[in-house]
């Protein structure tokens, strides 16, 4: 497999594929009967485009290229998405070229996020491959004067049964491109899959480990300058004055520019140092003297104030999202009941590769961009708005992302680069430092889960989850009315999502606002609210005198959910008798179309505990590669534990208290516990993989600690070495 970081247009112009070609994409089945011909100066480079959204390029020389419409931030979409096409097209990935899409509308949604790549493209990309295969088979059958039923595809060729005759796809593509695109091509039965659901090597790994892979931070363009940007320590502070005298004395510094950091919901002042190299730009920024007007931010923008407001909100009624029965009345009269709060902190994304971008606004009114964004379609739209240039005049290149977890779908850093490039009219490379990344946000919002519940005759009979905190929908998108509950609760804590059939239940919401910028973080609210939901289920089970697993099974009739819980219990040997000071905790959570359960075993270790083992079970329906699934789940375990036991993000006097990894810790390799991952082959529709494994981790750990020590933890993060 050859990974090409270029747009399809550049790919064709470069002449990498010669001769006429066949292109198939997502919407061909409804939009076009005949191909469009894309003409180039060299007639041998002409390509016949069958539709608006081309995902397959086949040339008469036999070359095949597949478009990957979802940027790769480590989750493996570079190979996963094209695998869907290759399975039905009957080609091997190690024999094709892969091209990353560049934001054009013809590729449809290109957002890597919400664990949506495979589950969102499972049918459409397979149809693209199947349609092309049927057109090639039909062409071969006509040439042989044979029945279509007597022809079959294999490894980039069409064969005639009971003969030695064959054609390569390249030999057929000219005539095949003149056929009508099948609207409903026949898809393979999963039992016939050769690629999907099978272990396949990650063909991009060698380049990643040898340093050949190109990430956003690696981009270099002739004549470019470097920008290092000074932001207000309070994020939203306004520039009062700039003293750049010392900065301009630094060798390599060209100029200092007052600019903006355009965030989705507001813009903040910023000051950029422009230099001939990155070292000079950084040194110049350190020499810069900026006076900021912070207004009331030092008093109001603190995490202490924010959480105090959430606890006050917990004393009041929230906005009802859903309710079964009259919970308040039943709770008031219940004899055995509990009412507690569970807290989760703000968290930074801290991808290993900080935010960066390169933008070049050219004299001819066009622009070219290199940006490691999660969604090139959204990135292209933002660049168009920022530069005032139509999208068709912008070439958008998407290199690999060195991690993201939601951060690089928030395009403030890209917008900053656009503003500077627009003014300078030369290529500008802007890089955020690690300190910028951690102190400026955006962050996962801190949240409070106010939990109420009651039991009767050994069963959990009433449950209320009051979700409290800042809304991503509200702050980022301005889409939440004051009297409206956050709609994303539907995919996080609704009873439809959890499948818990409580006799009486209620879900409510209170929006507590903050100026601390927030955005989605791996698994979005599920990482917040799974903590409260699954720990509180254990508390109610204890009150009822019930085994935590059995208490859950008593509440769930759904066969798929029960299978996940029963499997984790089996694989983790849930019923085994443990030694003194040991404990097991279990949790289950559904998100992004998948169901994940986790069992963690801990043992006392001095004043704290150590994690002995993590067993994770995932039902994600059909999947591309079990190795991808396991790798993503392992990442979720590490990230989930880090979020539970390492420090969160806090603000004092309007300023982030953490600046780098010495204060914002992440789990190290030597701290990682033994992990076991099990995948349930349910044959259900594809679900997400990149995020669903995370939400059960923290509550399973909290429940295990209670089982081992009798100490109930309700606030994250906590010090696992000293539980107090």
């Amino acid at each position: 497999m050859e990974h090409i970081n270029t747009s399809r247009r550049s790919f064709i112009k470069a002449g990498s594929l010669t001769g006429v070609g066949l292109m198939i994409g997502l919407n061909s089945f409804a939009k076009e009967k005949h191909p469009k011909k894309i003409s180039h100066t060299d007639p041998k480079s002409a390509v016949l485009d069958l539709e608006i959204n081309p995902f397959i390029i086949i040339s008469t020389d036999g070359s095949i290229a597949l478009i990957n419409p979802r940027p790769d931030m480590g989750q493996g979409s570079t190979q996963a998405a094209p695998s869907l096409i290759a399975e039905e097209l009957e080609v091997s990935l190690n024999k094709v070229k892969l091209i990353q899409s560049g934001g054009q509308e013809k590729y449809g949604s290109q957002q890597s996020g919400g664990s949506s790549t495979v589950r969102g493209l499972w049918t459409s990309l397979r149809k693209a491959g199947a349609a092309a295969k049927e057109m090639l088979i039909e062409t071969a059958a006509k040439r042989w004067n044979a029945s279509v039923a007597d022809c079959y595809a294999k490894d980039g060729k069409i064969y005639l049964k009971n003969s030695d005759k064959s054609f390569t796809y390249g030999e057929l593509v000219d005539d095949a491109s003149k056929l009508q695109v099948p609207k409903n091509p026949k898809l393979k039965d999963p039992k016939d899959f050769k690629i999907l659901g099978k272990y396949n090597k990650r063909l991009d790994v060698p380049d990643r480990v040898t340093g050949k892979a190109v990430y956003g931070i690696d981009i270099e363009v002739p004549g470019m300058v470097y920008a290092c940007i000074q932001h207000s320590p309070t994020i939203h502070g306004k520039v009062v004055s700039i003293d750049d005298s010392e900065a301009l004395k630094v060798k390599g510094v060209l100029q200092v520019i007052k600019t903006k950091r355009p965030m989705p919901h507001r813009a903040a002042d910023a000051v950029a140092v422009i230099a001939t190299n990155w070292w000079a730009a950084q040194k110049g920024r350190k020499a810069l003297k900026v006076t900021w007007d912070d207004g009331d931010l030092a008093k109001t923008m603190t995490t202490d104030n924010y959480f105090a407001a959430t606890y006050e909100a917990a004393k009041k009624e929230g906005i009802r999202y859903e309710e079964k029965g009259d919970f308040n009345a039943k709770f008031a009269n219940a004899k055995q009941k509990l009412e507690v709060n569970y807290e989760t902190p703000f968290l930074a994304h801290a991808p290993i590769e900080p935010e960066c971008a390169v933008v070049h606004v050219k004299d001819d009114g066009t622009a070219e961009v290199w940006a490691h964004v999660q969604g090139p379609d959204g990135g292209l739209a933002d660049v168009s708005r920022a530069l005032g240039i139509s999208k068709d005049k912008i070439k958008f290149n998407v290199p690999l992302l060195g991690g993201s977890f939601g951060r690089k779908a928030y395009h403030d850093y890209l917008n900053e680069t656009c503003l500077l490039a627009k003014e300078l009219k030369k290529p500008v490379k802007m890089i955020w430092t690690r300190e910028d990344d951690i102190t400026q946000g955006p962050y996962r919002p801190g949240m409070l889960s106010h939990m109420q519940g009651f039991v009767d005759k050994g069963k959990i009979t009433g449950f209320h989850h009051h979700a409290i905190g800042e809304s991503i929908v509200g702050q980022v998108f301005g889409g939440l009315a004051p009297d409206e509950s956050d709609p994303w609760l539907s995919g996080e804590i609704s009873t439809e999502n959890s499948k818990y059939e409580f006799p009486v239940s209620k879900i409510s919401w209170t929006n507590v606002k903050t100026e601390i910028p927030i955005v989605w973080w791996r698994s979005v609210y599920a990482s917040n609210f799974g903590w409260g939901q699954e720990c509180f289920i254990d508390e109610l089970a204890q009150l009822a005198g019930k085994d935590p697993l059995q208490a859950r099974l008593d509440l769930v009739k759904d066969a798929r959910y029960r299978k996940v819980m029963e499997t984790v219990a089996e694989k983790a040997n849930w019923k085994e008798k443990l030694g003194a000071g040991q404990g097991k905790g279990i949790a289950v959570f559904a998100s992004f179309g998948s169901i994940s359960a986790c069992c963690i075993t801990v043992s006392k270790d001095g004043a704290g505990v150590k994690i002995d083992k993590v067993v994770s079970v995932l039902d994600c329906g059909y999947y591309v590669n079990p190795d991808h699934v396991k790798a993503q789940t392992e990442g979720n375990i590490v990230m989930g534990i880090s979020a539970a036991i390492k420090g969160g993000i806090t603000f004092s006097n309007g300023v982030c208290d953490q600046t780098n990894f010495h204060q914002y810790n992440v789990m190290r390799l030597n701290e990682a516990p033994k992990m076991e991952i099990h995948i349930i082959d349910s044959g259900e529709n594809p679900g997400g993989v990149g995020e669903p494994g995370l939400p059960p981790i923290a509550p399973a750990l909290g429940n295990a600690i209670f089982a081992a020590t009798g100490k109930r933890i309700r606030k994250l993060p906590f010090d696992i070495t000293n539980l107090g």
Side-chain angles (χ1 to χ4, degrees):
M1 179 184 71
E2 181 181 349
H3 184 190
I4 303 176
N5 285 297
T6 183
S7 71
R8 175 184 152 278
R9 181 181 298 175
S10 298
F11 182 81
I12 295 172
K13 285 186 176 180
S16 297
L17 298 178
T18 59
V20 293
L22 171 65
M23 296 187 180
I24 300 287
L26 287 180
N27 300 319
S28 60
F29 317 105
K31 290 191 174 181
E32 293 202 20
K33 295 182 178 179
H34 302 290
K36 294 178 181 177
K37 185 172 183 179
I38 301 177
S39 300
H40 299 282
T41 304
D42 181 359
K44 293 182 180 179
S45 297
V47 176
L48 296 179
D49 188 346
L50 289 179
E51 49 155 29
I52 297 174
N53 297 317
F55 283 84
I56 302 170
I57 304 172
I58 303 175
S59 282
T60 52
D61 69 352
S63 301
I64 300 174
L66 305 179
I67 308 298
N68 171 39
R70 301 294 172 93
D72 199 320
M73 48 189 168
Q75 83 278 33
S77 63
T78 295
Q79 190 163 323
S83 291
L84 299 171
I85 306 171
E87 178 66 73
E88 300 289 348
L89 188 59
E90 297 290 359
V91 295
S92 299
L93 284 178
N94 60 359
K95 296 181 181 179
V96 304
K97 293 180 174 67
L98 301 183
I99 306 172
Q100 176 61 53
S101 66
Q104 302 93 326
E105 291 181 4
K106 58 190 172 185
Y107 297 123
S109 172
Q110 294 153 69
Q111 181 73 37
S112 278
S115 297
S116 63
T117 296
V118 172
R119 67 185 178 123
L121 300 175
W122 178 262
T123 300
S124 55
L125 288 188
R126 287 175 60 210
K127 280 187 175 181
K133 179 178 65 181
E134 288 188 5
M135 296 166 76
L136 293 163
I137 287 176
E138 182 179 346
T139 301
K142 288 180 179 178
R143 291 189 184 179
W144 288 322
N145 195 26
S147 167
V148 167
D150 289 332
C151 304
Y152 65 95
K154 181 180 178 181
D155 199 23
K157 290 184 177 181
I158 305 299
Y159 293 87
L160 182 63
K161 294 178 182 178
N162 303 317
S163 78
D164 58 357
K165 295 181 179 180
S166 68
F167 288 114
T168 67
Y169 287 178
E171 292 173 312
L172 298 169
V173 69
D174 192 4
D175 288 339
S177 67
K178 300 169 186 176
L179 299 177
Q180 185 171 352
V181 181
K183 292 183 179 180
N184 294 295
K186 184 179 179 180
L187 300 180
K188 282 185 176 181
D189 188 305
K191 66 180 177 58
D192 297 323
F193 285 162
K194 299 174 183 176
I195 299 174
L196 303 182
K198 313 296 182 184
Y199 280 97
N200 289 289
K201 288 183 179 180
R202 281 280 296 270
L203 301 175
D204 56 343
V205 167
D207 281 357
R208 290 177 187 263
V209 299
T210 59
K212 293 180 181 179
V214 178
Y215 291 84
I217 207 164
D218 297 323
I219 299 297
E220 293 185 0
V221 177
M224 76 181 185
V225 294
Y226 291 79
C228 190
I229 299 183
Q230 179 67 56
H231 303 98
S232 169
T234 57
I235 300 179
H236 305 299
K238 297 180 180 179
V239 171
V240 175
S241 64
I242 303 171
D243 180 354
D244 59 7
S245 56
E246 293 301 314
L248 292 172
K249 292 178 183 178
V250 175
K251 184 179 179 180
V253 171
L254 301 173
Q255 64 188 108
V256 175
I257 301 173
K258 180 183 176 183
T259 185
K260 293 283 185 182
R261 175 193 175 190
M263 293 176 275
H265 65 297
R266 64 181 296 180
D269 283 354
V271 182
V273 176
I274 310 300
T276 57
N277 61 81
W278 174 240
W279 179 254
Q282 279 189 296
K283 192 174 180 181
R285 190 178 91 164
K286 291 179 181 178
L288 196 64
K289 296 177 181 178
V290 182
T291 302
W292 301 93
D293 177 6
D294 298 324
D296 294 328
L297 292 170
K299 297 179 181 178
T300 60
M301 200 169 78
T302 74
T303 43
D304 283 347
N305 288 346
Y306 172 79
F307 280 111
T310 65
Y311 278 91
E312 282 299 312
K315 300 174 184 177
K316 305 172 185 177
E317 278 289 306
I319 299 169
R320 185 173 60 183
Y321 178 79
E322 68 174 34
E323 186 168 10
K324 178 182 179 182
D326 188 340
F327 180 85
N328 288 356
K330 295 286 187 180
F331 183 77
N333 295 322
K335 294 179 180 179
Q336 291 181 288
K337 58 187 175 183
L338 286 175
E339 183 170 8
V340 295
N341 293 309
Y342 279 86
E343 181 184 320
T344 53
F346 289 84
L347 292 175
H349 302 77
I352 196 66
E353 177 195 32
E355 297 71 40
C356 58
V358 177
V359 178
H360 186 193
V361 179
K362 303 178 182 180
D363 293 333
D364 63 0
T366 65
E368 187 163 7
V369 178
W370 295 260
H372 56 189
V373 296
Q374 285 184 220
D377 46 346
L380 179 61
D382 280 349
V383 169
S384 176
R385 283 189 290 268
L387 298 180
I389 298 175
S390 61
K391 290 188 285 187
D392 63 322
K393 294 183 179 179
I394 301 169
K395 181 182 176 184
F396 201 101
N397 306 285
V398 184
L400 294 171
L401 287 70
S404 179
F405 315 114
R407 174 60 181 94
K408 292 167 185 172
Y410 191 95
H411 298 154
D412 52 344
Y413 64 96
L414 176 57
N415 289 329
E416 283 183 328
T417 315
C418 287
L419 295 181
L420 294 172
K422 186 177 182 180
E423 182 168 345
L424 294 170
K425 293 291 174 34
K426 62 180 66 174
V428 177
K429 182 173 186 175
M430 189 280 306
I431 305 174
W432 278 35
T433 64
R434 175 62 59 201
E435 289 78 9
D436 293 329
D437 173 63
I438 290 180
T439 64
Q440 293 292 309
Y443 309 96
R444 183 192 79 169
M447 289 286 184
L448 189 71
S449 289
H450 175 60
M451 313 300 303
Q452 294 175 302
F454 49 89
V455 303
D456 184 40
K457 297 178 182 178
K459 292 188 177 181
I460 300 172
T461 50
F463 183 89
H464 174 208
H465 192 158
H466 183 183
I468 305 168
E470 179 59 290
S471 166
I472 298 170
V473 173
Q475 187 194 90
V476 180
F477 301 104
L480 192 68
D483 60 347
E484 178 187 9
S485 59
D486 194 303
W488 289 3
L489 297 183
S490 64
E492 310 292 351
I493 58 174
S494 68
T495 50
E496 172 59 30
N497 187 61
S498 72
K499 301 300 183 187
Y500 286 135
E501 297 185 21
F502 304 105
V504 180
S505 64
K506 183 179 179 182
I507 306 293
S508 59
W509 160 263
T510 297
N511 189 186
V512 173
K513 296 182 179 298
T514 180
E515 289 296 331
I516 300 171
I518 63 165
V519 78
W520 40 74
W521 187 89
R522 194 172 191 173
S523 79
V524 199
Y525 293 149
S527 68
N528 298 96
F529 299 139
W531 169 243
Q533 172 182 295
E534 288 300 298
C535 286
F536 191 59
I537 291 289
D538 261 44
E539 289 208 62
L540 291 174
Q542 183 197 12
L543 183 63
K546 208 66 173 281
D547 172 79
L549 172 64
Q550 190 58 51
R552 287 172 170 82
L553 290 171
D554 287 346
L555 292 166
V556 176
K557 296 179 182 177
D558 186 275
R560 190 178 175 194
Y561 281 66
R562 291 179 66 88
K563 177 70 172 177
V564 171
M565 288 190 279
E566 289 165 351
T567 302
V568 78
E570 174 195 344
K571 300 299 183 182
N573 198 5
W574 173 256
K575 294 183 179 181
E576 74 173 320
K577 187 175 181 179
L578 298 175
Q582 287 187 299
K584 288 185 179 180
I586 197 169
V588 61
F589 204 88
S591 59
F592 306 98
S594 294
I595 311 160
S596 178
C598 176
C599 181
I600 294 181
T601 306
V602 303
S603 56
K604 286 185 179 180
D605 185 25
V609 299
K610 63 182 179 70
I611 302 173
D612 298 317
K613 188 176 181 180
V614 179
V615 177
S616 188
V617 173
L618 182 70
D619 180 350
C620 60
Y622 285 119
Y623 50 86
V624 171
N625 188 333
D627 197 46
H628 288 192
V629 178
K630 290 187 176 182
Q632 287 291 287
T633 305
E634 288 170 351
N636 275 312
I637 291 170
V638 170
M639 201 162 176
I641 294 175
S642 290
I645 67 174
K646 302 296 182 178
I649 289 292
T650 58
F651 273 74
S652 301
N653 300 316
V655 177
C656 183
D657 298 317
Q658 295 73 34
T659 61
N660 208 314
F661 286 128
H662 68 296
Q663 294 164 317
Y664 187 75
N665 299 151
V666 295
M667 180 177 283
R668 304 298 180 94
L669 184 61
N670 66 313
E671 298 176 286
K674 182 180 179 181
M675 291 179 269
E676 244 182 54
I677 314 297
H678 300 276
I679 306 169
I680 293 179
D681 291 314
S682 64
E684 297 285 347
N685 291 331
V689 169
E691 298 169 278
L694 191 147
I697 302 302
L701 177 58
N703 293 335
I705 289 172
F706 177 80
T709 69
K711 182 176 178 61
R712 178 62 68 181
I713 298 170
R714 298 193 181 99
K715 180 179 178 180
L716 299 182
F718 60 88
D719 184 355
I720 197 171
T721 66
N722 186 1
L723 298 175

